[in-house]
Amino acid sequence: QVQLVQSGAEVKKPGASVKVSCKASGYSFPSYYVHWVRQAPGQGLEWMGIIDPTGGSTTYAQNFQGRLTMTRDTSTSTVYMELSSLRSEDTAVYYCARYWGSWSAFDVWGQGTVVTVSS
Amino acid sequence: DIQMTQSPSSLSASVGDRVTITCRASQSISSYLNWYQQKPGKAPKLLIYAASSLQSGVPSTFSGSGSGTTFTLTITSLQPEDFATYYCQQTYSTPVYTFGQGTKLDIK
């Protein structure tokens, strides 16, 4: 079935970087853009950015400019989200989501990856 | 950026009730509005896309309406599994797709 499977929980120190993976299966990987969304504890959903799995082009939210990098590996149908210079406010659950372009919606979501930033 | 504002922020209701959640955009977004349901510890789930289209597998007790700047999500005859947090999302301003702050629906 169509699914996105994310890598496991991470604990990082302030100033470090984290790289989360999102492996797609059950559909044509190049045909759907992938977005990343995060959710801080007890908070709402925050859009982070988007990657085109075909060409690798990206767009990032203004809040993350300079700290966020999204990449993809077409041979394994996997996209990656790397966030650098981590601070305590980056503690959150990070989700990848498939973009259903025909109707402009996020129709399939990964299970989420908990990233904890603590000294 | 387009701002999305949901009301109310929280809502208490009983099984069998009809509830309505409103989402307002800071500018016109045509019908580029989606609704998601999120349960604790789970990823969001797409309920409604393009303002009023029901995602496959979603019960017909859910419906969406609106266009422009004001949208509503209505749940008729609440079921126990419907108690969750609901988010609206605009997908008009490609590709910066902002969410509302969420509406938590709990049991009265």
Side-chain angles (χ1 to χ4, degrees):
Chain A
Q1 74 277 25
V2 175
Q3 60 179 353
L4 298 172
V5 178
Q6 299 182 221
S7 49
E10 302 265 13
V11 179
K12 296 292 183 181
K13 293 192 182 302
S17 298
V18 68
K19 191 170 186 177
V20 178
S21 67
C22 170
K23 182 174 177 58
S25 62
Y27 71 93
S28 174
F29 177 71
S31 298
Y32 295 83
Y33 286 36
V34 174
H35 291 256
W36 287 88
V37 175
R38 77 176 184 180
Q39 185 171 38
Q43 303 301 308
L45 302 170
E46 180 181 19
W47 180 81
M48 299 179 68
I50 179 177
I51 182 166
D52 172 5
T54 302
S57 62
T58 56
T59 301
Y60 304 137
Q62 196 80 340
N63 288 350
F64 300 100
Q65 292 287 349
R67 292 202 301 140
L68 179 59
T69 304
M70 295 180 185
T71 55
R72 92 290 187 217
D73 181 344
T74 55
S75 68
T76 59
S77 299
T78 302
V79 297
Y80 299 91
M81 184 283 299
E82 184 170 20
L83 190 60
S84 62
S85 302
L86 290 169
R87 36 214 190 221
S88 59
E89 310 89 89
D90 294 317
T91 293
V93 179
Y94 290 76
Y95 295 101
C96 59
R98 189 179 81 161
Y99 179 62
W100 185 22
S102 300
W103 294 105
S104 295
F106 297 0
D107 67 337
V108 179
W109 293 67
Q111 82 276 18
T113 297
V114 176
V115 175
T116 304
V117 182
S118 173
S119 55
Chain B
D1 290 357
I2 298 176
Q3 306 302 315
M4 307 301 293
T5 304
Q6 291 180 231
S7 60
S9 296
S10 63
L11 177 60
S12 294
S14 301
V15 172
D17 283 354
R18 172 190 175 103
V19 299
T20 297
I21 299 169
T22 299
C23 178
R24 290 187 170 85
S26 58
Q27 67 183 74
S28 177
I29 58 170
S30 185
S31 295
Y32 289 88
L33 191 285
N34 306 314
W35 290 98
Y36 299 87
Q37 175 194 67
Q38 187 180 34
K39 297 181 178 179
K42 299 295 186 182
K45 171 188 173 183
L46 178 64
L47 297 177
I48 302 284
Y49 60 92
S52 60
S53 295
L54 197 65
Q55 173 67 336
S56 175
V58 175
S60 58
T61 52
F62 290 88
S63 64
S65 66
S67 67
T69 61
T70 303
F71 303 85
T72 58
L73 172 69
T74 299
I75 313 170
T76 57
S77 188
L78 272 172
Q79 298 303 302
E81 60 269 23
D82 298 336
F83 292 94
T85 300
Y86 293 85
Y87 293 92
C88 64
Q89 177 201 35
Q90 66 82 19
T91 54
Y92 178 82
S93 65
T94 307
V96 181
Y97 296 155
T98 46
F99 294 88
Q101 82 278 15
T103 295
K104 184 176 182 181
L105 173 58
D106 59 22
I107 301 175
K108 185 184 292 183

